[in-house]
Structures are given as C-alpha cells and as structure tokens.
Amino acid sequence: YQRHILNEDDVTDEIKQQIREKGLSEVLGTYMVENMTKIGYSRPFATYIIKLGVYDTAMALGSQENLSMDMKVMFILEEIKRNETIRTYIKKADESLLSLGFTEHSFAHVTKVGVTAKNILLKLGYSEREAELAAIAGFMHDIGNVINRKDHAQSGAVMAFRILDNMNCDPEDTATIITAIGNHDESTAFPVNPVAAALIIADKCDVRSTRVRDKATIALDIHDRVNYGVTKSEVSVDAE
C-alpha cells in the first residue's frame, strides 16, 4: 500500500518524502492528529482516539466538546483494556499471587469483576457513565498486588491514579475510580460511593472452582474451599 501511495500523482513530493523517511503509519497518524486538533480535539486525546481505532467515529461526532462524558469514559475503558502497561501489571501481580498460593486473580477475574460491577449499577438505575467507571475500577482493582498483597488496594489506587492521569482522564472520574479501588479489599473495605459498593460486591461474587490452582492445599485455605465447592454462581440484582 505504501508503494502504491508513492506512485500516486496526486500525492505531493513533500508527503512522499515524509513517507519514505518515517513510514506510512506515522505520517498517516500525524495527519489524523492534525485533522482532529483543527476541529477542537486536544492533541493527547486525539492521539489516544487514533490508538483506539475510532478516528472516523470521533470525526463524525465533531469537536471534543461535542462528545458526551459517557462517550469519553467509554473510550477510556477500551483503552485501559488494551493498555499493555496495565495488562503487564495484572499478569505479574497474578504470578506473585500464584507463588503465594492464592486463587486466580488474572484477566478472567478482573474482567468478570468489571462486567459484574457495571451490570449491578445499570440494573439499579445508575448512569452509563457511572457503570463504565465501575467497569474500569473492576479491571484495574488488583494491580496493586504486583507490589505486595498487603495493602494492595491502596497501592493499586496510587498506581491507577498515575495511569489515569497520564491518559488525561477527567479528574472527577479518576477520583471515583481510585476511591473505589482503594476501598475494595475486605480488610479496609467500605462502600464510600456507588462505584466502590458495586466493586466490593462484584469482587466477592467471583466464586468458581476454576479459580483454585492448587487442589492439594484446599483443606488449608478457606478461599480455596469455598471456590472449589462452587460449580455455578451468578449475581441477581433486585432494583426494588
């Protein structure tokens, strides 16, 4: 495709030279960022919209001010799920917990917690924005285990703050997410806001036999015994 572009008469020599020097992907990405900044997107937000692959959608919606807060939070959630830094922290945290003899805390767990927390708030009539924040908190809630199991909720909240701040996440949304993460563990748990309440419930409701990794020690750990005895579990929300 790059060779085809370089042979096009409609493409200026200047652009062709940029493509030869930098590659088509970088030149095209720069062009898209410039287009988005011209209609009112900030450069960091434009860059990460392009990373998400939703350039056409964003351009059709117009300036950044035209995006609803729900839409911005949805973009943030998708970026978080794909973020290699976050995924690495989740993976390495689970490796540490495996060495310590804990149940599975990898992608299956954090994904399920995020989905459950989101659904709880939606079924209770909370906004799509609050539900998406719960999903974000759910996906990130255990990254603090990469530092230490003890106080992992608090260390995870600090890590999440740095990540979200670097992603230019809205400060109010960031505060809600890190508050939920910092208050989710049973030793210090408290439902300080709806997102935190949904996260606490969703985390404790992920009970399934597939989370048990060492069947030889089931008798020694209450978490393993409870999980191993469950073949099916679900969360039912009564909005009344």
Side-chain angles (χ1 to χ4, degrees), residues 66-82:
N66 288 345
L67 295 181
S68 67
M69 188 57 71
D70 290 353
M71 182 71 72
K72 291 178 183 178
V73 173
M74 182 189 72
F75 285 156
I76 291 282
L77 173 59
E78 290 308 310
E79 170 68 359
I80 283 170
K81 288 179 179 177
R82 302 181 190 188

Side-chain angles (χ1 to χ4, degrees), residues 220-234:
L220 303 177
D221 184 78
I222 182 62
H223 298 91
D224 281 356
R225 289 203 298 277
V226 171
N227 277 279
Y228 193 64
V230 176
T231 56
K232 180 182 178 182
S233 66
E234 60 183 37

